């Protein structure tokens, strides 16, 4: 019984670790733009979506 449970837990941990690899690879490929105008031009050229990130420390 312990061996069965241990194998399933090990498999779950392994799958979670493998699942994080695409996120790590994708984060290395993000090229951030400094201005909205440059970003919109690049998005229009490549056909990629635009993400706007707003921040304040009120």
């Amino acid at each position: 019984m312990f061996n069965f449970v241990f194998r399933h837990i090990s498999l779950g941990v392994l799958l979670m670790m493998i699942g994080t690899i695409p996120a790590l690879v994708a984060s290395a490929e993000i090229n951030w733009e400094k201005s909205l105008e440059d970003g919109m031009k690049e998005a229009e050229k490549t056909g990629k979506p635009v993400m706007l990130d707003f921040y304040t420390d009120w």
Side-chain angles (χ1 to χ4, degrees), residues 6-18:
F6 183 73
R7 277 191 287 167
H8 278 77
I9 291 173
S10 298
L11 180 62
V13 169
L14 178 66
L15 290 175
M16 285 191 297
M17 288 173 36
I18 290 172

Side-chain angles (χ1 to χ4, degrees), residues 25-46:
V25 171
S27 67
E29 297 174 3
I30 296 173
N31 297 318
W32 298 100
E33 296 291 338
K34 298 293 182 188
S35 71
L36 178 61
E37 293 81 18
D38 292 343
M40 294 302 288
K41 286 178 188 174
E42 184 67 25
E44 191 172 320
K45 254 195 294 188
T46 60

Side-chain angles (χ1 to χ4, degrees), residues 1-5 12 15-19 22 24 26 28 30 33 36 38 41 43 45 48 52 54-55 58:
M1 178 70 178
F2 175 76
N3 195 17
F4 176 77
V5 172
L15 290 175
M16 285 191 297
M17 288 173 36
I18 290 172
L24 294 173
I30 296 173
E33 296 291 338
L36 178 61
D38 292 343
K41 286 178 188 174
K45 254 195 294 188
K48 293 182 178 179
L52 300 177
F54 295 93
Y55 174 78
W58 294 348

